[in-house]
Amino acid sequence: MTPVVPSAKATLGSWAWVLVAGIVPVYRFAAESGISWLPEMIIGLIAASLLFGRARSLPGAAVWIFAGISIVVAGAISGTSSNITASLRTAGALAVLLGITPFVLRYYFVHSKSFASRAATAFLLVQSISAIAALAQVAGMSVLGASANSGRANGLAGHPNVQGLMSVIAIVLIITVYRSVSPRFRALLVVCGGINLAALIATGSLSSLLSMAAALIVLIAARRAGLRTIFIGSACIVAVIMISLTIGFDPSALFAPVSHRIDVVTGETDGVASLGIRQQTYAFAWTYIQQDPFIGVGMDSMNQGTFNGITVVHNYILHAWYQGGLAMVVAIAAITLLLLRRIVSAMSTGERSSEAAIIAAIIVYALGSAFYDQQQYWLPLLFATVSSYSLRGGASLKKDERAQHGRRAPKQRHQNLHRGLLSNN
C-alpha cells in the first residue's frame, strides 16, 4: 500500500484550523467583544471538515466516539431537570467538539506537512501579543478596553486564569522548540518566553502556576533532564533578575498579584474564589450527586450555580457529574484516562514530551477551575493530544493502515510523514 505523503501546499481547510489555533489565546476576549458567533463558527468548521472528508482515524478513536455519544445521552437525560432542548443544545456542541475534532485534526497533521508548525506559530504570536497586553495592564494601562482585574492581568484572554494557562502553553512550546530553530530566532524566543513568564506571574493565577509546575515536571522527567539543564535554566532566571535590577526594575513587583491571590484563596482577605468558597461548591455538588448520581441538573446554564446559585463547580470531574449526570462523568473519565496514558507514555519513552506537558498542565488547571464545555480550554488539549500520536518514522500511520485494511502494511521507510505540534519545518 502506498503511504500518505503530506502535501507541502497549504489548503484552505488547513489555514482555517491554523486561524483557530491563533484565536485560542484571545477566544474569550473576542467572543465578549462582539464576535458572539465564534463558538458556532468553530462548530461549523468541524462539521464542514467532516462533510468534505477531512477526517482520519487515530489511536484511541473509540474513546472519542464513545465520549461524543455519552455526552448527547447525558444532555437528554439531565435535560429533564432543566430544559431538554437547551441541555441537548449544549451537549450537542460539546459532542461535536470532542467526538469529531480529533479525527479532523488528525487528518491535517497527516496530510499537511507544515500544519503543525503553522498552528504553533499562530498560537505563539497571538499569545505573546496578549502577554504584552497583560504586562501593560499591570503597569496601569488599558489595552483595547481591557484592564487589570483587581491588580491581576487579563491580557487579551478575558480572564487572568485563562491568560495564565495560555502563557503556560506558550512557555512549553518555546522551551521545546528552542534548540530546533536557527540561532537568529533563539533570541526572539527568549524574549517571548520572558514576556509570557512575566505575564503568567502578573495574572496571579495559582491554578496556572500549578499547571506550569506540572508541565515542567513532565518535561524534566520525559527529557531526562540532568543537573546541567536545571543549572542553565536557573542561571538564566538569575541573569534576568540581575539585569532587571540593573535597569531599575524590581522583579518582585510582578509577584504582588500572586501574593494577593494567595491571601484571597486562603481566606486571609475577602474574595469570590477563596478556598472556602470553592470547598462549598464541591460540597454542594457532591451532596446533589449522592442524592441522584444518574440524572444531573442539566447541561445548560439554568441550574449550573451551586450553593449561591451563581458560582459553578471549580473541578472539571465534579462539574461534569453535577451537570450531566453519570453519562457525562463517564465520558469525561474515559477521556481523562486516555490523556493520562499519553502522559505516562511520554514520560516513559521520552517521545512527544511537549504535548504531554501541555496535556498535564491543562488537566491540573481543570482540577481547580470552571472547566466544562469551553472551546478555549478543549481546543489546545485536542491539538496536543492528536499531535502526541504523530510519531516519528510514520509508526502511527502504519498502525492506522493495519486497522483500516485488516492486514499488515508493507514495510517502508517513512521520513517524518507527519509532524507533531512542535515540529520545525
Side-chain angles (χ1 to χ4, degrees):
M1 175 171 178
T2 303
V4 175
V5 178
S7 172
K9 183 178 179 181
T11 63
L12 180 61
S14 67
W15 276 116
W17 281 101
V18 169
L19 177 62
V20 169
I23 290 174
V24 165
V26 296
Y27 180 103
R28 179 169 174 172
F29 179 78
E32 294 175 350
S33 299
I35 313 179
S36 58
W37 42 264
L38 188 55
E40 290 77 14
M41 183 196 76
I42 292 176
I43 293 297
L45 176 60
I46 298 169
S49 299
L50 182 65
L51 181 64
F52 287 99
R54 302 301 187 260
R56 186 180 180 90
S57 184
L58 74 164
V63 173
W64 299 108
I65 294 173
F66 168 77
I69 295 172
S70 295
I71 290 170
V72 173
V73 172
I77 296 176
S78 65
T80 59
S81 300
S82 57
N83 181 290
I84 294 180
T85 301
S87 184
L88 275 174
R89 188 182 298 116
T90 301
L94 184 58
V96 169
L97 180 65
L98 300 185
I100 300 178
T101 306
F103 300 91
V104 173
L105 292 179
R106 175 67 165 179
Y107 174 88
Y108 287 110
F109 274 117
V110 170
H111 289 267
S112 182
K113 182 178 180 181
S114 299
F115 174 71
S117 58
R118 287 170 180 152
T121 301
F123 180 93
L124 277 176
L125 177 62
V126 176
Q127 168 52 29
S128 295
I129 293 173
S130 180
I132 292 173
L135 296 182
Q137 289 166 356
V138 295
M141 291 183 278
S142 176
V143 181
L144 297 179
S147 55
N149 180 0
S150 300
R152 303 172 63 201
N154 290 303
L156 299 179
H159 192 278
N161 289 347
V162 180
Q163 175 64 42
L165 178 63
M166 297 302 148
S167 291
V168 170
I169 296 174
I171 292 168
V172 172
L173 291 173
I174 291 169
I175 291 174
T176 309
V177 302
Y178 179 78
R179 288 189 176 182
S180 63
V181 301
S182 59
R184 67 177 182 274
F185 288 118
R186 290 180 180 176
L188 178 61
L189 284 179
V190 170
V191 172
C192 288
I195 291 172
N196 277 281
L197 178 59
L200 169 61
I201 297 171
T203 64
S205 172
L206 300 185
S207 298
S208 299
L209 290 173
L210 290 174
S211 296
M212 185 75 256
L216 289 177
I217 290 172
V218 172
L219 278 178
I220 292 172
R223 295 187 157 214
R224 315 298 194 267
L227 293 176
R228 180 175 177 272
T229 302
I230 297 174
F231 175 77
I232 292 175
S234 302
C236 289
I237 293 174
V238 172
V240 170
I241 294 174
M242 294 302 294
I243 293 173
S244 300
L245 291 173
T246 301
I247 63 177
F249 174 73
D250 182 5
S252 64
L254 280 175
F255 289 89
V258 176
S259 60
H260 173 70
R261 192 61 179 169
I262 291 175
D263 290 340
V264 170
V265 171
T266 57
E268 294 296 324
T269 59
D270 293 334
V272 297
S274 71
L275 184 60
I277 289 180
R278 292 193 180 202
Q279 288 174 339
Q280 288 183 65
T281 68
Y282 302 155
F284 187 94
W286 184 241
T287 298
Y288 178 86
I289 290 169
Q290 287 179 310
Q291 294 173 353
D292 188 352
F294 301 102
I295 303 300
V297 299
M299 292 189 63
D300 55 297
S301 60
M302 181 182 295
N303 299 318
Q304 68 178 358
T306 55
F307 70 97
N308 58 6
I310 300 174
T311 308
V312 300
V313 184
H314 277 55
N315 176 284
Y316 79 111
I317 295 177
L318 272 180
H319 195 160
W321 201 346
Y322 174 66
Q323 287 205 233
L326 185 61
M328 180 64 177
V329 77
V330 168
I332 296 301
I335 293 174
T336 300
L337 290 175
L338 176 68
L339 298 177
L340 292 176
R341 184 178 178 183
R342 299 311 304 152
I343 296 172
V344 172
S345 174
M347 294 179 71
S348 60
T349 65
E351 291 283 345
R352 301 302 176 193
S353 58
S354 55
E355 287 92 335
I358 291 173
I359 293 170
I362 296 176
I363 289 178
V364 169
Y365 178 86
L367 287 170
S369 69
F371 189 112
Y372 181 50
D373 65 337
Q374 301 93 325
Q375 292 178 348
Q376 189 174 23
Y377 292 154
W378 282 110
L379 283 169
L381 184 60
L382 293 175
F383 266 93
T385 303
V386 175
S387 178
S388 72
Y389 290 109
S390 301
L391 301 177
R392 293 179 177 87
S396 60
L397 190 57
K398 291 181 184 177
K399 186 174 181 180
D400 282 354
E401 290 168 350
R402 294 192 190 105
Q404 292 175 8
H405 298 279
R407 59 186 177 85
R408 180 179 296 275
K411 294 182 179 179
Q412 301 182 34
R413 286 188 178 180
H414 305 301
Q415 298 178 348
N416 293 326
L417 293 179
H418 47 284
R419 304 196 182 250
L421 180 63
L422 303 173
S423 298
N424 180 41
N425 294 289

